[in-house]
Amino acid sequence: MALLQIAEPGMSTEPHRHRLAAGIDLGTTNSLVATVRNGIAVCLADEEGRAMLPSVVHYKADGTVEVGRGAMAAQAVDPRNTIVSVKRFMGRGLKDVTHVESSPYDFVDAPGMVRLRTVQGIKSPVEVSAEILKVLRARAEAALGGELTGVVITVPAYFDDAQRQATKDAATLAGLNVLRLLNEPTAAAVAYGLDNASEGIYAVYDLGGGTFDLSILKLSRGVFEVLSTNGDAALGGDDFDHRLFCWILDQSHIEPPSSEDARRLQMKAREVKELLTGSDEAPIRVSLASGEEVNLAVSRRQFEDMTAHLVKKTLAPMRKALRDAGLAPEDVKGVVMVGGATRMPQIQRSVAEFFGQEPLTNLDPDKVVALGAAIQANVLAGNRKDEDDWLLLDVIPLSLGLETMGGLTEKIIPRNSTLPIARAQEFTTFKDGQTAMAFHVVQGERELVSDCRSLARFELRGIPPMVAGAARIRVTFQVDADGLLSVSAREMSSGVEASVLVKPSYGLTDDEIAGMLREGVDHAGDDMLARALREQQVEADRLMEATEYALAQDGDLLDESERTAIDQAFAALREACDGTDHRRIKQCIDALARATDEFAARRMDRSVRSALTGHKLDEIEL
Amino acid sequence: MSIDLQQDFFALFGLPRRFELDEGALETAFHDLQGEVHPDRYAHFPDADKRRAMQWATRVNEGFRTLRKPLGRAMYLLELAGIDPALETNTAMSPEFLMEQMEWREAVDEARTAGEVEELEHLHQRLRQHGREMLATLHEAFDERQDLEAAAETVRRLMFLEKLQHQIDDALEALES
């Protein structure tokens, strides 16, 4: 006897419960959270009605943490413990960080990713980002009136694996379930494309606070296909501020300022840059702690001259992206502008000139990424409606490879490959009796390993001793839909399997994250057990809901004994969920997952077949 | 009939196994398949479903990447027939082609050394045109004469052209940065 309630034929069995989902734009300068309400994407505001949360985190001496506008105010008085633009440090080593000399922070050079020494101890950029995410999470949960099922977090398209992993780790630390990491230009295209129902080739020019992305997309029949992407993960509006800051120092003949005065001048520089978008000249008046007074004026013309090389730096990625897509500027039907920095008139002019058309700016460039992320989050969480039948096909921005003899890179996965993608390559031993082999995984376009980003090193052990050249070691790279890489290696010829899975090494280890989570939980006076139980219950709900749906749709694919086995595992899980033993729930989840594994495979086959024939399910012979 | 991850890419997309291919039909089949199997469709499903979706979407992407471009498609057809065009040596190729290869290479090297962006782009164009002409030969060899030897030789020529085009791309990129 079936233990499940099966819906009547024709009745929708798609779970009707609306799942709470949000899109998060974790920006260099500002962060936003958005959600879909009554079918419309909206940015969620704080109590004072402001949607933008400055991406600033202030670690106070009293042990509390302040994020946003309040923290911003602390910049000038407590610069060392007030972290701005932390996104620039995500997944980055100290040697990759620009403007170290004028940064007020106490950097700690840690393996893989730089850390910051604050009054509250040494902080990883992942932890700092998690503080921002926690505030956005709280904002969303307050506005939506419940716990978030999942979020989509945007990342610059040109982010490498280290930076993506760091972002995902930050979300984990903030207690968020990441449905997908979505590339910022793609998110913007979703927000635009769905509004305008456009078809054709589009370019997205995304100049944020600290990153520059250029993506070329093809829109057709509800498919957003990214053809190529390029950019500069260390170029953004901040650099324009910095240029102006240097100019002020130069013009006013100030001695190297204290970190406090430097912060004041940097804040002034940003203010002046924004002023110059609307006016031809701006005054620069600052009273410094040193007692000096700065009293200057700058014209837009001067500002444009001093930043011309930065604008020019965005041209090469545009050309490269077009070339990779096999297109010319005139093939592009529309250019979407994203990021507050694109408000600068010299940027708009240079983009218009390059593409021979005025760029599209009808959506707020500060909000468009968050809105697109919210739209996608809503669909990924399972709130898809018939009209939401679009698909995003994104690419990997930078090639992935392995180090070979002589410090050279062998590319395994070329840049701009559509995700997800897997590629395997075979290697062999070069010494008789060799039982281990070392691998070095890198990302980048350059030929020399030392010019690429090192992602991971690992060793395959337990290779049976053979003569040189006899072993066949197959290394497989798999990049998932988030753009995250896993690598496995296996010796094929002997039948002996040795396999490793690599999580790149620059970021945080799972243990480190677990430790930080524990710390955070202890701090909040929460209970680890309660959290574990809650997590398993959520997972159990998800699995039961999906199973019910699958049985109602495709139950005919099962014979009686298979059906009974699934029903029993289902009943056991439901019973376990009434209890409070999270381990028992986990066991029952695993049991139900095992029991439905073959069923899932058959269902996938059926979907594939129906896609090919375009026929209704019942017309297909099994 | 059972559809599984092992079937060949033409069958995967429901297309006839031949060199000339309706690119629109390939793209439509690609989008339709991804519409069913893409991990985004399974983001709120249990991990086992997500894994399976990733495997399928990976396979579908690989198939599209293999078939969408004529050279990749030709190489794949040879692979299905058990022929590895890369294994043949250049000595099996006609002297005219070897001469031509040298001339092309010299022209590219000269333009690169002199930093002549326009000349490089011009060479790129000519190579593309040349490549297009060879596709007609391939179509005839594969679809009309079933002459796999001739197809393999043309594929080797195209592989050379492609390599040269990549070198031009790299040179252009180096000159720009």
Side-chain angles (χ1 to χ4, degrees), chain A residues 45 80 102 159 177 225 317 360 412 571 591 598:
Chain A
R80 174 163 304 195
S102 60
F159 254 21
N177 172 36
E225 193 174 355
L360 300 166
I412 309 282
E598 169 63 23

Short mmCIF file of all heavy atoms in Angstrom, two decimals, chain A residues 45 80 102 159 177 225 317 360 412 571 591 598:
data_model
loop_
_atom_site.label_atom_id
_atom_site.label_comp_id
_atom_site.label_asym_id
_atom_site.label_seq_id
_atom_site.Cartn_x
_atom_site.Cartn_y
_atom_site.Cartn_z
N ALA A 45 15.21 47.57 1.81
CA ALA A 45 15.87 48.72 2.43
C ALA A 45 15.99 48.53 3.94
O ALA A 45 15.30 47.69 4.53
CB ALA A 45 15.08 49.98 2.13
N ARG A 80 42.26 51.46 11.28
CA ARG A 80 42.87 50.14 11.29
C ARG A 80 41.84 49.03 11.53
O ARG A 80 41.96 47.94 10.99
CB ARG A 80 43.94 50.08 12.39
CG ARG A 80 44.53 48.70 12.57
CD ARG A 80 45.82 48.76 13.32
NE ARG A 80 46.77 49.65 12.66
CZ ARG A 80 48.08 49.68 12.92
NH1 ARG A 80 48.56 48.88 13.84
NH2 ARG A 80 48.87 50.50 12.31
N SER A 102 49.29 52.55 1.01
CA SER A 102 48.39 53.59 1.51
C SER A 102 47.19 53.01 2.27
O SER A 102 46.29 53.73 2.65
CB SER A 102 47.92 54.48 0.35
OG SER A 102 47.24 53.70 -0.60
N PHE A 159 36.15 36.72 -11.51
CA PHE A 159 36.67 36.12 -10.28
C PHE A 159 37.22 34.73 -10.59
O PHE A 159 36.59 33.94 -11.29
CB PHE A 159 35.54 35.98 -9.25
CG PHE A 159 35.63 36.97 -8.11
CD1 PHE A 159 36.35 38.15 -8.24
CD2 PHE A 159 34.97 36.73 -6.90
CE1 PHE A 159 36.42 39.07 -7.20
CE2 PHE A 159 35.03 37.64 -5.85
CZ PHE A 159 35.76 38.81 -6.00
N ASN A 177 22.32 29.37 2.80
CA ASN A 177 22.36 28.28 1.84
C ASN A 177 22.50 28.89 0.44
O ASN A 177 21.60 29.58 -0.03
CB ASN A 177 21.07 27.45 1.95
CG ASN A 177 20.96 26.42 0.85
OD1 ASN A 177 21.96 25.83 0.42
ND2 ASN A 177 19.74 26.19 0.36
N GLU A 225 22.85 32.99 -23.03
CA GLU A 225 24.06 32.22 -23.21
C GLU A 225 25.26 33.16 -23.20
O GLU A 225 25.39 34.01 -24.08
CB GLU A 225 23.97 31.46 -24.54
CG GLU A 225 25.01 30.40 -24.69
CD GLU A 225 24.80 29.57 -25.97
OE1 GLU A 225 23.78 29.78 -26.67
OE2 GLU A 225 25.67 28.75 -26.25
N PRO A 317 40.11 44.33 -22.35
CA PRO A 317 39.17 43.24 -22.07
C PRO A 317 37.96 43.23 -23.02
O PRO A 317 37.46 42.17 -23.39
CB PRO A 317 38.73 43.50 -20.63
CG PRO A 317 39.86 44.22 -20.02
CD PRO A 317 40.42 45.09 -21.12
N LEU A 360 22.85 51.37 -22.68
CA LEU A 360 21.56 51.35 -21.98
C LEU A 360 21.77 51.64 -20.50
O LEU A 360 22.61 51.02 -19.85
CB LEU A 360 20.92 49.96 -22.09
CG LEU A 360 20.64 49.44 -23.50
CD1 LEU A 360 20.35 47.95 -23.45
CD2 LEU A 360 19.47 50.20 -24.07
N ILE A 412 43.92 22.47 -19.33
CA ILE A 412 42.99 21.33 -19.36
C ILE A 412 41.61 21.83 -19.76
O ILE A 412 40.95 21.27 -20.61
CB ILE A 412 42.92 20.62 -17.98
CG1 ILE A 412 44.31 20.29 -17.45
CG2 ILE A 412 42.04 19.38 -18.07
CD1 ILE A 412 44.99 19.11 -18.03
N ALA A 571 8.65 6.76 4.89
CA ALA A 571 7.94 6.73 6.18
C ALA A 571 8.92 6.80 7.33
O ALA A 571 8.68 7.49 8.33
CB ALA A 571 7.09 5.46 6.26
N ALA A 591 19.29 6.97 3.62
CA ALA A 591 18.59 5.75 3.19
C ALA A 591 17.58 6.07 2.08
O ALA A 591 17.49 5.36 1.08
CB ALA A 591 17.89 5.11 4.38
N GLU A 598 18.15 5.15 -8.23
CA GLU A 598 17.87 4.57 -9.54
C GLU A 598 16.64 5.25 -10.18
O GLU A 598 16.60 5.52 -11.38
CB GLU A 598 17.67 3.05 -9.39
CG GLU A 598 17.12 2.33 -10.61
CD GLU A 598 18.05 2.41 -11.83
OE1 GLU A 598 19.27 2.61 -11.61
OE2 GLU A 598 17.56 2.27 -12.96
#
